[in-house]
Amino acid sequence: MSSATPPQVLISEVGPRDGLQSVKASMPTAAKLRWIDALYAAGLREIEVASFVPAKLLPQMADAAEVVRHAITLPGLVVMALVPNRKGAQAALEAGVHKLTMPVSASRAHSLANVRKTPEEMVDEVRAISELRRQMAPQVLLEAGISTAFGCTLQGLVPEDEVIALAVQCVAAGADESGLSDTVGYANPAQVRRLFKRLRAELGDKAGAAHMHNTRGLGLANCLAALEEGVTTFDASLGGLGGCPYAPGASGNVVTEDLVFMLEAMGVRTGVDINRLIAARAPLMAGLPGEPVYGMTPEAGLPKGLGQPVL
């Protein structure tokens, strides 16, 4: 693919955070760095590399600061980390991240189970972290991802009005953008179109990424629906790693390789070299031996002519 072809969408790779914290094994730090380097070499330019949470809760993320310090040496890479609270945000900013992302759940039940705070309290946390960011590193971006935006395994139905209102509150509290996450794989394309249409109507260019899961096989269909509503940033995980601990045998996150294949085949430029992307599965599998990885495109191979340089 020609580097002169500007990407039309941004693929935000979340495997090193969302994927790794969803599996029991801990990938050694050196293996993480090799994997991140391979993702970068494939053309990915936004990678969520870690989560700044207590090591006793998530030992997989104990090396978060070290991973960030390596990732920020890669030219042109936006290094992103998840932070659930002000303490995590301070550690992430000290490590040098370029972008903070916060999980703000629209489901009250999920919010209390996940971060032990109500949605309203998490909006206050967004405000506090926005102020901390202003003081410590005002150039760092802050994203509030609305978790369980399409439904919740604990609560069931999550009213759409509450989802949109929460996203608006997060931006008012200082978030630069707010996207929608299908945390438990409940979404369908009609619902995705409806919610992202409303989100863009309310937030304009502060409407953020689509974070879809493939738990029930609708991940790519939901990404396509979001694309048709003007979404330009998509979260995905190499090999579909992690993201779905409660649905054994189903890939959780949308598979980066399959998403890139779909978009490139449609003529939507991602800036990603799909052959190098598939090659990045090798360091992932070496770092997590025996862990299932998913993806139809790597298994089937590329159609003749696709994946060749665009002249």
Side-chain angles (χ1 to χ4, degrees), residues 62-129:
D63 57 358
E66 186 178 351
V67 172
V68 167
R69 284 194 294 268
H70 171 79
I72 60 176
T73 67
L74 299 171
L77 178 66
V78 175
V79 178
M80 186 162 63
L82 181 134
V83 296
N85 52 40
R86 194 179 185 278
K87 186 176 180 182
Q90 181 165 344
L93 291 169
E94 287 171 352
V97 297
H98 303 133
K99 188 174 183 179
L100 302 169
T101 181
M102 294 182 64
V104 183
S105 187
S107 158
R108 189 167 297 268
H110 179 264
S111 190
L112 290 168
N114 191 40
V115 292
R116 299 179 188 171
K117 289 184 172 70
T118 65
E120 293 83 6
E121 288 170 330
M122 282 303 291
V123 172
D124 291 338
E125 203 72 33
V126 171
R127 189 174 294 108
I129 289 175

Side-chain angles (χ1 to χ4, degrees), residues 112-245:
L112 290 168
N114 191 40
V115 292
R116 299 179 188 171
K117 289 184 172 70
T118 65
E120 293 83 6
E121 288 170 330
M122 282 303 291
V123 172
D124 291 338
E125 203 72 33
V126 171
R127 189 174 294 108
I129 289 175
S130 177
E131 176 60 22
L132 179 72
R133 174 265 310 254
R134 188 186 66 78
Q135 294 170 6
M136 287 183 65
Q139 76 282 3
V140 170
L141 296 172
L142 175 61
E143 174 190 26
I146 307 301
S147 310
T148 61
F150 301 91
C152 175
T153 47
L154 297 172
Q155 179 174 305
L157 183 70
V158 178
E160 293 183 2
D161 287 352
E162 293 180 15
V163 172
I164 300 301
L166 188 59
V168 170
Q169 288 164 26
C170 285
V171 168
D176 297 299
E177 59 184 53
S178 187
L180 302 179
S181 300
D182 184 23
T183 311
V184 294
Y186 275 20
N188 65 73
Q191 184 186 24
V192 169
R193 285 194 193 93
R194 192 165 62 242
L195 268 170
F196 272 104
K197 188 188 291 287
R198 289 188 62 179
L199 187 74
R200 287 173 63 79
E202 289 284 351
L203 295 181
D205 61 4
K206 292 183 183 291
H211 181 106
M212 298 299 168
H213 283 202
N214 198 44
T215 315
R216 291 167 180 82
L218 294 181
L220 287 182
N222 288 330
C223 285
L224 181 58
L227 179 73
E228 290 171 347
E229 286 302 328
V231 174
T232 57
T233 302
F234 296 87
D235 293 355
S237 177
L238 196 82
L241 185 70
C244 193

Side-chain angles (χ1 to χ4, degrees), residues 225-266:
L227 179 73
E228 290 171 347
E229 286 302 328
V231 174
T232 57
T233 302
F234 296 87
D235 293 355
S237 177
L238 196 82
L241 185 70
C244 193
Y246 304 111
S251 65
N253 288 294
V254 167
V255 176
T256 309
E257 304 92 305
D258 291 342
L259 178 61
V260 169
F261 168 68
M262 179 184 77
L263 293 169
E264 291 286 341
M266 292 170 61

